[in-house]
Amino acid sequence: MGVLVDYFTAESDQSAERALSGGPARVKLPYVDCKGWIDELGDLVAELSGRDVSEFGDSEVVVDDSEVSGVDRVVPETVAALAAIENARLSEYAEDELLNDYEIERITALRDLAREAVRLSHGMYRWMCV
């Protein structure tokens, strides 16, 4: 069985908790579907930004049902670094890593979601379901 992963934004941890059962789409929160593709943003952001992954802390648990799903808050440093990635760097990374169109679209959507979170002073979260 695979792991389902969505990244999303919410005004607060309390708002993000609503995504626990069924994910952010069910409660109509802005999200990017990363199912089967990426589950840890820190590694990706480190690669994109050229910074060491240790500069980005681990996601912090907001709520976990102890069985199949959980919601984690992405640390603000990771969100800010992702939001700062320019289109030229995304293109360069895609070429270097031989990414396909789906992967390029996911990275761009994640970056845009991070920008929106920063613009609105919202948190960025990861919903995972096993």
Side-chain angles (χ1 to χ4, degrees):
M1 184 186 319
V3 175
L4 305 178
V5 177
D6 290 339
Y7 283 92
F8 67 99
T9 62
E11 292 179 40
S12 65
D13 287 357
Q14 293 76 20
S15 294
E17 286 179 14
R18 299 180 304 132
L20 180 64
S21 177
R26 187 186 64 77
V27 292
K28 298 179 177 28
L29 291 168
Y31 75 100
V32 175
D33 173 352
C34 292
K35 295 170 182 71
W37 187 66
I38 186 171
D39 64 353
E40 192 57 56
L41 269 186
D43 295 335
L44 174 64
V45 175
E47 289 179 21
L48 285 167
S49 66
R51 295 165 57 184
D52 190 270
V53 73
S54 66
E55 294 182 46
F56 307 109
D58 292 332
S59 297
E60 301 165 353
V61 174
V62 172
V63 64
D64 187 337
D65 71 5
S66 301
E67 292 182 24
V68 295
S69 63
V71 173
D72 298 339
R73 182 181 345 96
V74 179
V75 294
E77 296 83 7
T78 303
V79 178
L82 180 57
I85 302 297
E86 297 295 331
N87 286 337
R89 176 59 187 137
L90 288 178
S91 295
E92 178 184 284
Y93 181 78
E95 187 175 311
D96 290 347
E97 298 297 319
L98 303 173
L99 301 181
N100 63 38
D101 290 342
Y102 174 81
E103 293 167 327
I104 295 167
E105 193 272 331
R106 295 292 89 192
I107 291 175
T108 303
L110 284 168
R111 188 273 318 266
D112 293 347
L113 187 73
R115 285 183 173 178
E116 189 68 2
V118 169
R119 185 182 74 77
L120 296 172
S121 297
H122 286 183
M124 189 165 172
Y125 300 86
R126 174 180 63 188
W127 172 76
M128 294 182 67
C129 181
V130 182

